[in-house]
Amino acid sequence: MNSTINNKQKNNFTLFRFFLLCIIFITLGFGVNTYSSYTYNNNMNEFYSTFNKYDFDKALNIIDTTNNSNILKKKQLKADLNSYFTGIVGMIIESIASGDMPESDAISILSEIKKYDILNSSLDSLLASLDSNYKYNPTSKPNSNNTNTNIDNNDTNSSITESDNLTLGIEAFENKDYSTAISYFNKISKSSSSDFNKAKDYILNCKKNYKTHLLAEAEELIANKYYTDAIAFLSSYDTSILSSEDKDISNKINSVEMFRDEYTDHIQAYPNDASTYASSAILQTININNVNNLNIESKTPYFIYLSLSDQTTYIYEGSLNNWKLDKSFSSSTGIPGEETPKGIFSVSGRDSWFFSNEFQQGGKYWVRFMGDYLFHSVPFDEKQTKIVDETLGTAASHGCVRLKVEDSKWIYDNIDDGTKVIIN
């Protein structure tokens, strides 16, 4: 008996030591990371100040020290230097163009930046355009670490070229500094058709990538139920990249606000369920196997789930955690660039017909779920007699959800205002 007790005590002590060691290691790791971030930020602030004062030798020494002593921040260091120097080069270009900076000063600063091995080919190109004696390899790739082969550039002049702006824009794009990238691409004139067309494509990709980043960050906040933070984050995006009236961002904010209101209402109604209510679950794929585990509520006996991957609209009937699949309709949602918004919405309004002069087509039996986004029939001509596009089961609309005429009429007749709509 005593032996058993002693063994249990030893096991408990061993477990205690194990957990204690885990806590110590976690605390040490956190402490090391915190200290690393603190010293890195201090070093970088000192570097920026020093370089801006033209104390180039001291600035380079700060970066060498930071690079050698702070292994955890090497990747961030390269990204921060890339972003900083891209901005500096942009200001130099503007200063040369306005006549505020002599080319000799520009060459001096660019030569110092070259020592950091960050903006390789773009700096080579710029230095060659400013200094006919500068030698570089015109085939080197941005951000490559290849050694220049000292090929003479005989086609140089004393002005910044369209290709320089394109190269710098690409540098900034690859570093995800989309605002700076767009500023470079916008400097390329239509007279340089090849570079201009490339710049247009890059600008579109800048906007697309930036929006993707915004929405992904918002989703992470939503998953952790930080709704107010998500709204604030989406409301403060860079309007030099995206329009201040961007529809996708506006729709997402509206969706998050509905999420927040729903969560608040749910917790007030079911205070004991606060720890288990998972807003992220409501944005996963919903099916008959999990629909009654997601705490989905609707103000009517129905809720609508639209699966973008399946291009199918599912009608569920019932109540909280007591839903059954009633109907499913083949659908057609928005094409790339005009995607149907994801999120949680509710039905608010309907009519038997609309017509769009912009697209020269209309739809029968529409039901609104947000703004000008609707469930409606496949598109008809203005006389309402001829279907102009029968596509279903794949993306084909301008953002609305297209259905068979009889399916849109069923929703029109049976789905009341206030019905929850979930789209993902």
Side-chain angles (χ1 to χ4, degrees):
M1 182 70 174
N2 290 334
S3 175
T4 301
I5 293 173
N6 288 335
N7 287 336
K8 285 184 177 180
Q9 288 176 337
K10 288 180 180 179
N11 290 337
N12 289 338
F13 182 69
T14 302
L15 278 174
F16 173 76
R17 286 204 304 176
F18 172 75
F19 285 120
L20 183 61
L21 286 172
C22 287
I23 292 171
I24 291 172
F25 282 124
I26 292 171
T27 303
L28 284 173
F30 178 77
V32 168
N33 185 62
T34 301
Y35 177 75
S36 175
S37 297
Y38 175 77
T39 56
Y40 174 80
N41 290 334
N42 282 345
N43 288 345
M44 292 308 294
N45 287 333
E46 184 182 3
F47 164 73
Y48 296 140
S49 175
T50 304
F51 194 93
N52 290 341
K53 293 176 182 176
Y54 302 102
D55 191 348
F56 298 129
D57 289 339
K58 182 178 178 181
L60 184 60
N61 183 59
I62 291 170
I63 292 302
D64 286 340
T65 301
T66 303
N67 192 42
N68 293 329
S69 64
N70 206 327
I71 300 174
L72 298 176
K73 298 292 182 180
K74 282 194 173 185
K75 186 175 181 180
Q76 184 178 344
L77 176 63
K78 184 174 181 180
D80 286 344
L81 288 176
N82 194 315
S83 180
Y84 173 69
F85 285 136
T86 299
I88 293 291
V89 172
M91 289 189 285
I92 290 174
I93 290 174
E94 291 178 358
S95 297
I96 293 173
S98 63
D100 293 334
M101 177 180 286
E103 290 185 359
S104 58
D105 288 353
I107 292 170
S108 176
I109 297 172
L110 293 173
S111 298
E112 290 296 330
I113 295 175
K114 181 67 180 171
K115 295 177 182 179
Y116 294 82
D117 195 27
I118 295 294
L119 307 176
N120 293 313
S121 66
S122 56
L123 280 180
D124 285 332
S125 178
L126 276 173
L127 284 165
S129 69
L130 295 170
D131 183 0
S132 59
N133 294 318
Y134 185 78
K135 298 179 180 181
Y136 82 118
N137 177 8
T139 61
S140 64
K141 296 181 180 179
N143 288 326
S144 69
N145 293 317
N146 296 332
T147 303
N148 292 335
T149 54
N150 294 326
I151 298 177
D152 285 320
N153 177 31
N154 296 319
D155 186 21
T156 59
N157 52 61
S158 60
S159 62
I160 304 304
T161 67
E162 302 280 13
S163 294
D164 294 332
N165 284 319
L166 180 63
T167 302
L168 287 165
I170 294 173
E171 294 270 7
F173 173 82
E174 292 178 345
N175 196 46
K176 299 180 181 180
D177 186 357
Y178 300 123
S179 179
T180 301
I182 290 174
S183 70
Y184 282 124
F185 294 138
N186 281 333
K187 294 175 183 177
I188 300 173
S189 64
K190 291 183 178 179
S191 59
S192 179
S193 59
S194 177
D195 286 346
F196 180 75
N197 289 332
K198 289 179 182 177
K200 279 175 56 180
D201 290 340
Y202 269 108
I203 288 174
L204 290 176
N205 285 327
C206 283
K207 294 179 178 180
K208 180 180 178 181
N209 290 2
Y210 180 59
K211 185 182 294 187
T212 298
H213 161 72
L214 287 175
L215 297 177
E217 289 291 319
E219 287 293 351
E220 184 172 344
L221 291 169
I222 294 167
N224 290 289
K225 298 190 280 291
Y226 298 138
Y227 305 114
T228 300
D229 290 344
I231 293 168
F233 173 73
L234 290 171
S235 300
S236 60
Y237 66 89
D238 190 341
T239 53
S240 70
I241 302 176
L242 298 175
S243 165
S244 60
E245 299 178 353
D246 185 87
K247 184 178 289 187
D248 291 332
I249 302 299
S250 176
N251 291 338
K252 191 64 180 178
I253 290 173
N254 291 336
S255 177
V256 178
E257 287 174 343
M258 293 182 68
F259 241 145
R260 181 181 60 186
D261 294 344
E262 177 183 273
Y263 177 73
T264 302
D265 291 344
H266 181 94
I267 298 309
Q268 288 176 349
Y270 306 97
N272 295 328
D273 195 32
S275 61
T276 59
Y277 183 84
S279 59
S280 58
I282 215 162
L283 286 183
Q284 64 180 282
T285 300
I286 298 173
N287 55 53
I288 57 175
N289 295 319
N290 68 4
V291 66
N292 290 315
N293 298 320
L294 301 177
N295 296 311
I296 298 171
E297 298 177 273
S298 180
K299 294 179 180 179
T300 75
Y302 292 99
F303 89 83
I304 299 174
Y305 170 58
L306 170 62
S307 170
L308 297 174
S309 60
D310 294 348
Q311 291 290 293
T312 302
T313 298
Y314 298 93
I315 309 295
Y316 284 89
E317 183 179 10
S319 58
L320 174 67
N321 292 337
N322 188 31
W323 298 104
K324 64 177 182 179
L325 181 62
D326 186 45
K327 298 181 184 298
S328 60
F329 303 139
S330 181
S331 309
S332 181
T333 62
I335 58 176
E338 299 183 74
E339 291 88 350
T340 301
K342 301 177 184 179
I344 299 178
F345 313 99
S346 63
V347 172
S348 60
R350 69 200 61 231
D351 207 339
S352 59
W353 170 251
F354 79 92
F355 184 78
S356 169
N357 289 318
E358 179 182 0
F359 300 114
Q360 284 298 297
Q361 55 186 230
K364 295 183 178 182
Y365 306 115
W366 63 261
V367 170
R368 179 191 297 112
F369 62 89
M370 187 188 70
D372 55 358
Y373 289 97
L374 318 169
F375 290 97
H376 63 73
S377 72
V378 288
F380 281 77
D381 64 4
E382 190 170 7
K383 294 181 180 180
Q384 305 183 41
T385 57
K386 181 181 178 181
I387 296 175
V388 297
D389 185 355
E390 296 184 353
T391 301
L392 287 172
T394 187
S397 79
H398 301 288
C400 289
V401 184
R402 297 177 182 176
L403 304 159
K404 292 180 181 178
V405 176
E406 58 267 33
D407 294 341
S408 62
K409 188 174 188 307
W410 188 93
I411 291 178
Y412 174 83
D413 288 337
N414 294 278
I415 298 298
D416 294 331
D417 287 3
T419 298
K420 175 167 291 180
V421 177
I422 301 175
I423 301 175
N424 69 29

